[in-house]
Amino acid sequence: MSARPYRSKRHRPCDQCRERKLGCQTDGGLPCVRCRSADLPCTFEHPPPKRPRRESSGHMGDHSGSVASSIDPESSFLPPSWEEPSNHPASHLPSRGASVNPAVHQPAFAPLEDVPTNGAVSPAVSGHLVTVGRSPTQFVQSLDQLEGFSAHLFGASAESDPWLLRHCSFDDAGVKCFYKVHFRNAGGVPTADKIPVHFVLAADDLATSAKQETSCRFSGDATREELNRLVPHDYGQRLVSLFIKYVWPALPLISRSQMGLTPSCSIPEPWALERTPVHLLAAVYASALPFAAHDDYLCVLQTYNAPPADRLWRMAYELISEEIHTPHLAVLQTALLYLHRPLDEARASIADTPFVWSFVGTIVGLAESLGLHIECRMWGIPAWEKRLRRRLWWAIYAEDKWRSLLMGRPPYIHRDEWDVSELDGADFLYHTRGASSSSSGVHQPQDPVPFRYLVDLSGIAEQIYESFYTLRKSQYLSERFRVSHDTGRPLLEKLNDWYSSLPESFRLPNWSKSVSGLAPYPTSIHFAYLILVLFVYRALLRPMARSSSPPLIFDLDEIPTNPSALDTAVDDSPVLDFLNMPEIESFPAVELSDHSTGETTLNSAERCASIVISFTRRLTSSDFTGFWYSWSRIGFATVSNFALLLLVQAPNAERAAKGKQLVDSWLRVLRCQSQSFPMMKLGLTRLDAVHWVGLGQTFVLPQHVQEVIQSSGN
């Protein structure tokens, strides 16, 4: 159906807008702006009601005067693009991304000098009545797709008290209008166990100067014209399709419904690309470029043309630094994808800078500003937006928990500060735009989504960190083996339960590869599972050997300049006796009989290391083809550290020989596999550096460990 400009009463509104007495804007084509935003079917089946005949022009003039005297001052900010009278002022907040004829579309809010005074009727609102008081109903309206506005959460202790705002006279879209800043009631709350939730809708132009302060791009760069030049639409459509196939199952960060995708059509239309924000589209393109070899058309292009990955990621970052002042979900989506951008081989060998963890904190703070940490299923927002908000929250939660554990940082997200329920099948539905939720246009994913299993695993990662690796827990458990053992047992049981919950096709060992070029299970998630098992045993190994006494601390600036002062400051023992440090004594710190808990723990830890090494050795190009979370490379370095720990803390020569064998095996695997998979290079670098200096020169080793290392060298 062709676009039907709505400019006169001869063009009637759609059934949805007529029923709600709202302006029907179709300049961008069908469905209309409101139906598109709310994911409603845009139909024209019901005839318009008959209008009463006007008595006389004089009577109408009197009626207009009565309207002018009773009109709400807020209504002077309503746009002139409506054609029919309405009692619903909220629809003056236009949907984000809507295409409106500039000759008809007016700013959603008049400039201050245009506000009518002295009781005169503004032409922009002539015939519009505004009700006063709370509306008994609230219609669905997007929080994210408001053109020219961004929504920020009012928290429980914010300067605007949610328990005061609950008394506002919101209209039937949950909006209370002011000038450039408005209040939006999320809807559906408060209830017995849910607090009131409100957002402030702020005009984007209020943050213009702030955007300029943090901008890191040159004038004219990072525009849609540049993006379309780098990635033409026919190129971009295929990249989005690759993103859905390879990245989306592990990071479902975009709405397939909003991209117009269906199970039978994974290639978006050009209009979907044009309405997607530039920063998000650039990040989606860049995330999909590593998989271009799996597309018959793109693989040829990349053979003769260097892919613009670096420029695309730079565009994404430049726009994040600006749009974070007026954030929408697209900023958050882009930032998450930016965290997982592939590194070139030179940077793959270098650890992340502190920027990465700081950037995670920025993402968490942005998500909380957008209210993603609050359950939204009862809110008055479209179904697709609810699903996307929930998936984004759990993606951020997983990011926080994995990087907190792998980087040894206190997490940003705490249990008492969020209430989003667990993901279920409803969070992965998608349907054709304009189809109702109960129609046949709704599609349930046929295959299990690996991301759900990663989220479950992330919850166990959080428990492992809280049980073993917080500052207080580390201090308490570092010399208490029995308590550590009792703490680790239920965590290992939870990991076993998680593994048992996997579909049969996901489980190991399953080394047969599919003919489609993808591994039959999500390899990166299995590696994450093995890393968590390793972290439990790493904590159990801590109290199994005693630490040597720390060296004495000397501050050269505090040493007395008078030599005679040293005679009175110390006793008769030599001051520098601490330089003759003995080797570490008392290996082990726990009993190691044949059937003791300590012996069993060491056996299990060595077996854990052997399984990880065997798992990595068996990886093939089919596994490397899939999507890997960027923090996985820290996991490979963690395995290197764990193998060294088994060697350095070996309680006897037999264990030392086993530890040396594990270190050597892991080193060979990394040197071989890193040629095909640069993500392993950080783990290889860590191990190579120790061997380059020498194990005996890097660590203070017991005599039996030194002998094993020397004999293996000979």
Side-chain angles (χ1 to χ4, degrees):
M1 186 178 295
S2 61
R4 178 182 61 80
Y6 176 60
R7 294 191 177 91
S8 72
K9 295 179 181 179
R10 293 184 294 105
H11 302 293
R12 60 189 179 91
C14 71
D15 298 333
Q16 294 286 349
C17 292
R18 180 178 295 283
E19 179 181 357
R20 302 179 184 185
K21 298 182 179 179
L22 301 176
C24 186
Q25 301 176 356
T26 58
D27 299 86
L30 295 178
C32 71
V33 171
R34 194 166 306 283
C35 291
R36 185 185 307 141
S37 174
D39 253 346
L40 296 173
C42 191
T43 59
F44 296 83
E45 299 173 356
H46 304 298
K50 293 183 178 180
R51 299 178 182 273
R53 296 179 61 184
R54 291 183 288 186
E55 302 265 340
S56 66
S57 59
H59 177 78
M60 288 306 295
D62 296 340
H63 177 72
S64 298
S66 65
V67 171
S69 62
S70 62
I71 198 164
D72 191 315
E74 301 169 359
S75 62
S76 60
F77 299 103
L78 299 178
S81 57
W82 295 355
E83 293 292 335
E84 296 188 349
S86 171
N87 294 335
H88 310 287
S91 59
H92 72 281
L93 299 173
S95 296
R96 182 166 174 262
S99 177
V100 182
N101 190 325
V104 178
H105 176 70
Q106 299 292 330
F109 298 97
L112 190 59
E113 58 270 17
D114 294 339
V115 178
T117 58
N118 300 325
V121 181
S122 169
V125 296
S126 178
H128 289 74
L129 296 177
V130 180
T131 57
V132 178
R134 183 184 297 276
S135 173
T137 59
Q138 179 172 329
F139 294 108
V140 166
Q141 179 167 304
S142 173
L143 268 172
D144 189 58
Q145 295 194 334
L146 301 176
E147 184 69 30
F149 290 85
S150 55
H152 318 146
L153 177 72
F154 278 134
S157 61
E159 43 92 4
S160 294
D161 185 357
W163 279 266
L164 171 62
L165 298 182
R166 61 181 169 167
H167 300 299
C168 283
S169 55
F170 295 106
D171 60 26
D172 61 5
V175 177
K176 184 62 181 177
C177 298
F178 300 95
Y179 182 72
K180 288 187 179 289
V181 176
H182 316 287
F183 294 161
R184 165 70 193 272
N185 179 28
V189 290
T191 58
D193 58 345
K194 300 293 182 182
I195 68 171
V197 179
H198 304 90
F199 291 82
V200 57
L201 306 180
D204 289 348
D205 57 14
L206 297 176
T208 300
S209 60
K211 287 185 176 182
Q212 293 173 350
E213 290 176 0
T214 61
S215 176
C216 58
R217 63 177 173 136
F218 296 103
S219 177
D221 288 346
T223 61
R224 187 170 296 275
E225 290 73 20
E226 182 188 7
L227 178 62
N228 291 340
R229 178 178 57 79
L230 292 172
V231 184
H233 278 171
D234 55 344
Y235 192 173
Q237 289 172 296
R238 292 175 175 270
L239 286 175
V240 172
S241 180
L242 290 173
F243 181 92
I244 295 298
K245 180 178 181 180
Y246 290 94
V247 181
W248 196 92
L251 276 180
L253 301 183
I254 66 173
S255 170
R256 296 169 296 182
S257 300
Q258 291 301 104
M259 296 290 289
L261 303 178
T262 66
S264 60
C265 179
S266 62
I267 298 181
E269 296 294 333
W271 64 262
L273 303 182
E274 284 298 320
R275 70 188 300 271
T276 303
V278 173
H279 42 288
L280 176 57
L281 198 59
V284 169
Y285 289 165
S287 298
L289 279 175
F291 308 102
H294 299 278
D295 183 276
D296 294 340
Y297 176 73
L298 298 181
C299 66
V300 176
L301 287 181
Q302 289 206 357
T303 301
Y304 300 101
N305 301 278
D310 291 341
R311 178 56 193 154
L312 291 174
W313 284 123
R314 183 61 189 175
M315 289 178 65
Y317 181 76
E318 289 174 354
L319 290 171
I320 288 172
S321 65
E322 292 183 20
E323 297 301 321
I324 198 169
H325 294 285
T326 55
H328 294 269
L329 296 181
V331 180
L332 201 59
Q333 295 164 284
T334 306
L336 282 168
L337 290 175
Y338 186 82
L339 269 180
H340 291 280
R341 69 194 188 283
L343 299 177
D344 56 44
E345 291 197 20
R347 294 183 59 189
S349 302
I350 304 172
D352 292 330
T353 68
F355 164 83
V356 173
W357 182 241
S358 301
F359 195 62
V360 172
T362 299
I363 291 175
V364 173
L366 177 58
E368 292 170 343
S369 295
L370 295 173
L372 264 64
H373 60 296
I374 303 176
E375 180 60 67
C376 65
R377 278 184 164 171
M378 72 290 292
W379 293 3
I381 58 177
W384 69 263
E385 192 170 330
K386 295 178 184 179
R387 296 191 296 267
L388 180 58
R389 291 176 69 93
R390 287 170 49 78
R391 295 199 306 268
L392 284 175
W393 170 253
W394 282 110
I396 294 165
Y397 170 87
E399 203 68 36
D400 178 68
K401 300 313 170 188
W402 282 102
R403 293 190 184 273
S404 169
L405 182 64
L406 288 164
M407 301 178 73
R409 302 286 189 270
Y412 292 109
I413 297 175
H414 303 281
R415 294 178 183 271
D416 293 340
E417 299 297 339
W418 59 276
D419 71 341
V420 182
S421 59
E422 294 183 0
L423 293 171
D424 54 38
D427 294 305
F428 298 89
L429 297 173
Y430 66 110
H431 59 278
T432 308
R433 296 186 58 82
S436 63
S437 298
S438 58
S439 71
S440 59
V442 179
H443 305 286
Q444 179 78 33
Q446 298 178 350
D447 300 323
V449 180
F451 176 72
R452 291 181 62 182
Y453 298 100
L454 176 82
V455 169
D456 294 339
L457 204 57
S458 302
I460 304 177
E462 178 184 31
Q463 296 176 45
I464 291 175
Y465 180 86
E466 292 178 345
S467 299
F468 282 120
Y469 292 101
T470 66
L471 177 62
R472 299 291 187 186
K473 290 290 185 172
S474 297
Q475 291 171 338
Y476 177 73
L477 295 175
S478 62
E479 296 183 0
R480 291 175 171 85
F481 174 75
R482 177 57 61 182
V483 181
S484 297
H485 178 269
D486 294 342
T487 302
R489 181 180 295 275
L491 294 172
L492 292 173
E493 292 175 354
K494 288 183 178 182
L495 286 167
N496 287 335
D497 292 340
W498 175 88
Y499 182 78
S500 300
S501 72
L502 293 178
E504 189 64 33
S505 60
F506 281 10
R507 297 187 188 179
L508 296 172
N510 187 359
W511 306 112
S512 61
K513 310 303 177 185
S514 68
V515 295
S516 65
L518 288 172
Y521 55 86
T523 313
S524 59
I525 296 179
H526 270 290
F527 180 68
Y529 159 73
L530 294 175
I531 289 299
L532 290 189
V533 177
L534 185 148
F535 265 106
V536 174
Y537 284 111
R538 171 171 154 174
L540 297 183
L541 291 178
R542 289 186 306 200
M544 295 191 69
R546 296 187 179 94
S547 302
S548 59
S549 299
L552 299 178
I553 302 298
F554 273 85
D555 187 343
L556 296 179
D557 293 334
E558 298 295 330
I559 296 179
T561 56
N562 183 6
S564 61
L566 290 175
D567 298 336
T568 59
V570 297
D571 55 19
D572 294 335
S573 58
V575 174
L576 301 181
D577 273 356
F578 73 96
L579 294 178
N580 301 317
M581 292 179 60
E583 68 178 45
I584 298 177
E585 299 177 352
S586 302
F587 273 80
V590 297
E591 181 184 1
L592 286 178
S593 62
D594 291 340
H595 304 288
S596 67
T597 304
E599 187 75 18
T600 303
T601 300
L602 277 175
N603 289 336
S604 299
E606 291 172 351
R607 183 170 181 270
C608 173
S610 298
I611 290 175
V612 175
I613 294 171
S614 177
F615 171 86
T616 308
R617 180 187 296 114
R618 291 172 178 263
L619 295 180
T620 68
S621 58
S622 178
D623 301 289
F624 302 147
T625 296
F627 176 83
W628 284 73
Y629 302 98
S630 62
W631 40 257
S632 298
R633 72 192 199 100
I634 309 176
F636 289 107
T638 302
V639 178
S640 298
N641 185 274
F642 186 71
L644 287 171
L645 180 64
L646 288 171
L647 171 61
V648 172
Q649 282 197 185
N652 51 50
E654 180 181 358
R655 295 285 182 185
K658 176 64 174 177
K660 187 64 169 62
Q661 179 185 355
L662 291 172
V663 170
D664 293 342
S665 297
W666 180 240
L667 182 59
R668 288 193 298 269
V669 168
L670 288 180
R671 285 178 175 169
C672 177
Q673 296 286 54
S674 64
Q675 301 299 316
S676 304
F677 195 44
M679 192 167 283
M680 298 182 185
K681 287 187 176 293
L682 179 61
L684 177 61
T685 300
R686 291 288 188 258
L687 212 52
D688 275 340
V690 172
H691 283 81
W692 184 72
V693 175
L695 287 167
Q697 287 70 41
T698 303
F699 301 103
V700 179
L701 300 173
Q703 185 63 36
H704 58 271
V705 176
Q706 294 183 29
E707 293 173 355
V708 167
I709 294 174
Q710 292 172 357
S711 62
S712 63
N714 296 331

